Amino acid sequence: MKIQSIRGVKDILPDEIWKWQYIESVAHNIFPRYGFREIRLPIFEDTRLFSRSIGEATDIVEKEMYTFNDRGGDSITLRPEGTASVVRAYVQHKMCNPPSVLKMFYIGPMFRYERPQAGRLRQFNQIGVEAMGSPSPIVDVEVMTMLMEFFRELGLNNIKLEINSLGSQECRPRYRELLKAEIEKSLDQLCSNCKARYQRNPLRVLDCKVEQCGKVAVGLPKIIDHLDAASAEHFSEVRSLLDSASTPYSVNASLVRGLDYYNRTAFEVTSKNLGAQNAICGGGRYDTLVEELDGPSTPCFGFALGLERLVSLVPFNDMKNLQKYPDVFIVCLGEETKTTGFQIAHELRLKGFWVERDYEMGSMKSQMRKANKSQSRFSLILGENEIRSGKFVLKHMETGEQIECPVEELATEIAKLSADS
RNA sequence: GUGGGCGUAGCUCAGUCGGUAGAGCUCUGGAUUGUGGCUCCAGCGGUCGCGGGUUCAAAUCCCGUCGCUCACCCCA
């Protein structure tokens, strides 16, 4: 039996990889402007890191982690998200240096054992950003505006920034109990799903897709009306700073995050063009996580965005300036040209050109076909005549025009003609 | 974990009432001795997901199974 890739994982093939590289290059270009530097983290960690940070009772920890014992008997987990590892590294390497804020981003694969569907894989890639060391709403808004600038640079449209406040460790549990009590009053009107989950996850009832539940939800209390004074003040500052940056957003009072460690600001960026899994990015403030992982009190703000989902949204068709195909395809005719062809390819590559060729030394026709298929901008033809005259035929594949060119002028000629077209 | 849809050539798909497979694209070669794309011609390519059953006969009907996909759930 032929071995297939594991369910829920995907190969990124050479025809597509340029999209990923492009997105990553934009991240590498924009994030440092805001002071973020890359950190590379292991993809597996001590299982306890995730159960302690994400929350024992979350779906991720309860049923979605790839957990196994290594040969030494230790429980290892393929990371289901990146923030826990960043915090672990922050604490482990004693990176705290108050009052300065440490800003980092990471790019890499995450693993969750879920049923695959549109926009959801078992191995998927995220870009994550974490700003560690300040409770200031300026940090929240700077990170969110950086994100929106990143999306703008990538040409995304039809995306929506939604924000909410989850309050503090004090006011949130209070609100939860209030909400549960209110839900119980209309329990008979809710869908079976909500009846089953409201005890465990009452916030979910607020954005249930069933119409009946939506009607009930309208009358339920909202977290932002039950914030403690400090959280309310924080949230209002976030909003006015977003306004002052002219960043469009809306408040979604039913926005919830799936990980336990979030407090105060929570946000999501969604797109209508993604299918049911419509969030391209989610994040928020997590002021107590570092302490919970035995570090110093360090309020933080961060987000993670889904690269597969982002790749599907970026309008790559409109991008003209990205090089995807070779500059030159070298066509060699006859045994005599073997060495010269090899040398010319080598020299052009040393000068930075993308050079492709045929290795079968087939007929001119078949080599030209390959040149055409490679989508090279030029073909360079060298046969016995050219070796003798010292001038090679440089053919522009799109226009069909060809010129004779001495070997020492090839590089400048190719560069010149490329710039013209 | 629960539902729906789908598995036929490398890709996209047709295949009638059951009679052991077809198109387009791709690919290879030729028409054009050293010039690609367009056109024309020829050729390569399939255990019809897999296993069982019914039948003289199964891509087609039945049962099972695996895979893909979409949705619920959940989330990036």
Side-chain angles (χ1 to χ4, degrees):
Chain A
M1 202 184 85
K2 252 188 257 171
I3 296 176
Q4 305 247 310
S5 60
I6 301 295
R7 166 168 234 205
V9 311
K10 276 241 174 357
D11 300 310
I12 304 168
L13 300 175
D15 280 345
E16 278 227 279
I17 195 68
W18 61 275
K19 299 179 179 178
W20 294 73
Q21 291 169 335
Y22 175 68
I23 289 173
E24 287 169 23
S25 76
V26 172
H28 281 285
N29 175 279
I30 290 185
F31 294 167
R33 297 184 204 173
Y34 295 78
F36 289 83
R37 294 174 300 159
E38 186 177 2
I39 180 170
R40 299 207 182 179
L41 299 157
I43 62 170
F44 53 76
E45 297 270 6
D46 188 321
T47 298
R48 290 168 295 182
L49 173 63
F50 301 116
S51 46
R52 275 173 63 186
S53 63
I54 298 170
E56 293 278 6
T58 58
D59 276 19
I60 292 177
V61 170
E62 255 182 12
K63 45 193 190 195
E64 295 176 3
M65 294 206 303
Y66 279 93
T67 297
F68 59 94
N69 290 330
D70 70 10
R71 286 170 188 275
D74 295 320
S75 182
I76 303 295
T77 294
L78 299 185
R79 62 182 183 190
E81 61 106 33
T83 301
S85 296
V86 173
V87 173
R88 194 224 78 229
Y90 178 86
V91 174
Q92 180 174 336
H93 302 292
K94 302 188 169 43
M95 295 165 88
C96 57
N97 185 19
S100 75
V101 175
L102 187 62
K103 295 184 270 191
M104 297 184 283
F105 71 98
Y106 57 86
I107 303 177
M110 307 295 161
F111 306 84
R112 291 181 203 173
Y113 189 85
E114 292 186 274
R115 200 70 176 261
Q117 71 180 73
R120 191 168 75 184
L121 292 168
R122 289 183 173 178
Q123 176 176 342
F124 59 99
N125 289 278
Q126 288 188 332
I127 298 182
V129 158
E130 318 289 353
M132 314 181 72
S134 168
S136 167
I138 297 173
V139 171
D140 305 34
V141 175
E142 227 178 65
V143 171
M144 286 189 281
T145 52
M146 176 180 84
L147 173 68
M148 298 314 278
E149 168 59 15
F150 174 64
F151 286 154
R152 194 202 57 76
E153 178 68 24
L154 290 170
L156 259 61
N157 41 39
N158 286 321
I159 55 170
K160 211 165 75 177
L161 169 64
E162 295 181 308
I163 65 169
N164 193 17
S165 177
L166 303 178
S168 66
Q169 313 300 2
E170 289 78 47
C171 66
R172 184 151 54 141
R174 254 198 330 265
Y175 166 74
R176 246 177 97 97
E177 292 313 309
L178 171 70
L179 182 59
K180 270 197 235 175
E182 287 300 313
I183 290 170
E184 258 162 42
K185 290 180 188 167
S186 337
L187 201 57
D188 51 332
Q189 296 167 52
L190 296 177
C191 70
S192 53
N193 199 343
C194 283
K195 280 178 188 146
R197 70 182 166 184
Y198 86 97
Q199 279 286 353
R200 221 182 99 123
N201 206 345
L203 297 168
R204 285 288 167 202
V205 177
L206 292 173
D207 61 349
C208 180
K209 287 163 188 162
V210 177
E211 200 185 345
Q212 265 305 314
C213 300
K215 285 181 190 162
V216 174
V218 173
L220 292 172
K222 309 252 179 292
I223 176 85
I224 45 174
D225 298 324
H226 297 268
L227 297 175
D228 60 60
S231 294
E233 169 63 17
H234 193 274
F235 191 51
S236 110
E237 281 185 58
V238 165
R239 296 181 59 172
S240 66
L241 283 166
L242 279 171
D243 290 334
S244 74
S246 304
T247 303
Y249 71 93
S250 55
V251 174
N252 177 354
S254 59
L255 190 133
V256 196
R257 306 266 69 232
L259 293 76
D260 279 359
Y261 51 65
Y262 285 110
N263 66 294
R264 290 196 174 166
T265 315
F267 76 100
E268 230 168 59
V269 180
T270 57
S271 164
K272 286 187 283 257
N273 305 324
L274 277 175
Q277 308 298 314
N278 67 347
I280 183 173
C281 177
R285 181 159 278 287
Y286 51 101
D287 289 337
T288 55
L289 179 59
V290 177
E291 272 173 282
E292 276 154 36
L293 291 173
D294 304 313
S297 169
T298 311
C300 303
F301 188 91
F303 66 75
L305 65 88
L307 268 172
E308 281 79 3
R309 294 179 190 180
L310 182 55
V311 166
S312 75
L313 289 178
V314 174
F316 288 107
N317 291 337
D318 304 344
M319 293 180 189
K320 299 271 180 256
N321 298 331
L322 292 174
Q323 178 160 11
K324 283 178 265 178
Y325 308 112
D327 297 300
V328 190
F329 191 100
I330 295 191
V331 174
C332 291
L333 301 165
E335 281 297 306
E336 285 179 48
T337 64
K338 230 176 181 172
T339 308
T340 315
F342 175 78
Q343 285 170 334
I344 289 177
H346 184 235
E347 280 160 27
L348 288 175
R349 284 167 175 154
L350 290 182
K351 287 177 174 146
F353 295 103
W354 295 17
V355 181
E356 196 45 86
R357 58 166 298 163
D358 176 37
Y359 297 98
E360 310 308 317
M361 301 290 280
S363 68
M364 175 131 190
K365 184 200 251 325
S366 90
Q367 291 194 50
M368 287 303 291
R369 277 207 189 122
K370 286 175 185 174
N372 189 56
K373 238 173 293 167
S374 76
Q375 303 199 59
S376 291
R377 196 196 299 269
F378 297 98
S379 57
L380 179 68
I381 300 166
L382 53 141
E384 287 153 20
N385 299 340
E386 285 77 12
I387 300 250
R388 237 166 280 134
S389 70
K391 289 183 173 176
F392 300 104
V393 174
L394 187 63
K395 175 167 185 168
H396 192 284
M397 294 300 281
E398 204 171 314
T399 63
E401 283 168 34
Q402 50 188 55
I403 59 165
E404 290 192 353
C405 182
V407 61
E408 60 274 9
E409 289 172 23
L410 274 174
T412 47
E413 202 60 39
I414 291 168
K416 199 177 83 191
L417 292 172
S418 297
D420 293 347
S421 58

